[in-house]
Amino acid sequence: MAAYILKRLLLMIPTLFGILLLTFVVIQFVPGGPVEQMVAQLQGRDTGGEGAAAGGAGYRGRQGVDAARIAEIRTFYGFDKPAHERFWQMLGQYARFDLGKSFFYPKSVWELVKDKLPVSISLGLWTFFLSYLISIPLGISKAVRAGTRFDTLTSLIVLVGYAIPGFVLGVALLVVFGGQLQWFPLRGLTSSNWDTLSWGAKIMDYLWHITLPVTASVLGAFAVTTMLTKNAFLEEIRKQYVLTARAKGLGESRVLWTHVFRNALIPIVTGFPAAFIGAFFAGSLLIETLFSLDGLGLLSYESVMRRDYPVVLGTLYLFTLIGLVTKLISDLCYVWVDPRVKFD
């Protein structure tokens, strides 16, 4: 087991290197980088200022920015160095877990992630816990009552909910419950008077704000787990050891919860680490944008659109590393849940 873990940890190094190298190379060919954006802003400022002052007679916007100023901008953003030198410098920083500083925010990448993380945690954890608390009991009930009207009706509801995109449901919830009925707020996680509220009022205010975005996220999230749970239980119920347990006179509930439950939950339990970690970092861009939640999803989108390369590469490195470690933990969960699994 120790050799397997060590081998997996060592394999993470070339994987991270390949992902960062590929992304870095692609970035070099993407137009509209931070230098170009700064030059465009300077040109626009010159155009507006001189055009207003001289009425067009002293217009110099088309002349652009002089070469010395552009060289200063390139030095400021670190683009005065060759690409390979910047890449190796970046790898050295990442080896020390220094993710660098944003081009457009007066903060480091670590500070930005920590600032945005609470919003994504709020949305992700509620989605994770509610989806599993609903999907596992529902999947077990569907397996026990397979082929009945309950199974057919719940399958229809689950599949319809899965087919509706979360942002479409979010728009409908905002229009009906936020706009027409005005039962829930339209944006944010807290009210403007949050600091003046008591602890009980703060909890109620937070739950009041989080209801609609969590509802929009959960409806599609629990469908896959529900059907996976149902199919896993159906497969175990039809096996020989279940028939033997029933033949010995064991009650149906004891057969289900003592013999079937542990074996059927193997594919579900092994997915817990990835789903749990994903709740922290897999922020939904559309849900966060729709409900004005300033989380990691919105940060990733804005950093790509603004060509904020330190944020793009820094978060990519961090999330990829977490994903690789989580995958290793998920594989180790197979051994913990099912001792028959041997990595040797």
Side-chain angles (χ1 to χ4, degrees), residues 12-308:
M12 292 180 186
I13 298 176
T15 303
L16 281 171
F17 178 83
I19 292 174
L20 290 175
L21 177 61
L22 179 61
T23 307
F24 186 86
V25 171
V26 171
I27 283 177
Q28 306 309 306
F29 299 97
V30 175
V35 175
E36 290 82 359
Q37 293 187 31
M38 180 61 70
V39 171
Q41 291 178 9
L42 292 175
Q43 289 176 338
R45 184 187 65 185
D46 293 343
T47 300
E50 296 185 16
Y59 175 71
R60 297 171 53 193
R62 292 184 180 178
Q63 297 180 14
V65 183
D66 59 273
R69 188 66 181 276
I70 294 178
E72 292 179 3
I73 297 173
R74 292 181 61 86
T75 302
F76 176 77
Y77 287 119
F79 287 96
D80 57 322
K81 302 175 182 178
H84 67 277
E85 185 176 339
R86 287 187 279 117
F87 178 72
W88 289 112
Q89 181 181 357
M90 181 190 71
L91 291 183
Q93 292 178 342
Y94 288 175
R96 304 189 303 269
F97 288 96
D98 178 9
L99 302 183
K101 293 184 178 181
S102 170
F103 285 158
F104 299 100
Y105 296 95
K107 296 180 179 179
S108 66
V109 178
W110 275 114
E111 291 175 334
L112 284 173
V113 171
K114 289 189 292 184
D115 290 344
K116 311 295 184 181
L117 190 57
V119 175
S120 296
I121 288 178
S122 297
L123 182 61
L125 284 184
W126 279 110
T127 303
F128 170 79
F129 285 117
L130 288 179
S131 60
Y132 271 89
L133 287 175
I134 295 173
S135 60
I136 292 180
L138 180 60
I140 295 174
S141 299
K142 288 173 63 62
V144 173
R145 306 176 188 177
T148 63
R149 184 177 299 178
F150 170 81
D151 182 31
T152 304
L153 181 61
T154 52
S155 295
L156 178 62
I157 295 174
V158 166
L159 293 178
V160 169
Y162 180 71
I164 300 176
F167 70 93
V168 174
L169 178 62
V171 171
L173 293 175
L174 279 176
V175 171
V176 176
F177 296 101
Q180 296 178 354
L181 300 178
Q182 297 183 358
W183 289 355
F184 296 97
L186 298 176
R187 56 178 301 166
L189 283 181
T190 57
S191 300
S192 57
N193 61 336
W194 166 265
D195 294 331
T196 63
L197 299 176
S198 62
W199 278 105
K202 286 183 177 180
I203 295 175
M204 295 304 298
D205 182 77
Y206 166 75
L207 294 176
W208 184 46
H209 280 77
I210 202 67
T211 298
L212 292 185
V214 167
T215 302
S217 301
V218 166
L219 190 61
F222 73 87
V224 174
T225 309
T226 299
M227 302 308 295
L228 178 63
T229 303
K230 174 192 173 182
N231 295 332
F233 269 80
L234 280 178
E235 182 180 357
E236 292 297 324
I237 287 174
R238 295 166 181 168
K239 288 185 176 180
Q240 187 63 40
Y241 75 90
V242 177
L243 298 176
T244 303
R246 288 171 176 169
K248 291 181 177 179
L250 296 180
E252 191 65 26
S253 60
R254 185 176 179 183
V255 172
L256 180 65
W257 298 107
T258 303
H259 297 275
V260 176
F261 187 77
R262 181 176 180 180
N263 293 327
L265 283 186
I266 289 177
I268 301 171
V269 171
T270 52
F272 273 7
F276 187 75
I277 297 298
F280 287 83
F281 296 100
S284 174
L285 167 62
L286 295 175
I287 297 297
E288 290 181 4
T289 304
L290 183 62
F291 292 94
S292 300
L293 305 176
D294 192 11
L296 290 175
L298 192 58
L299 173 65
S300 300
Y301 173 75
E302 290 179 346
S303 61
V304 171
M305 297 304 296
R306 300 181 68 178
R307 307 295 192 267
D308 197 348

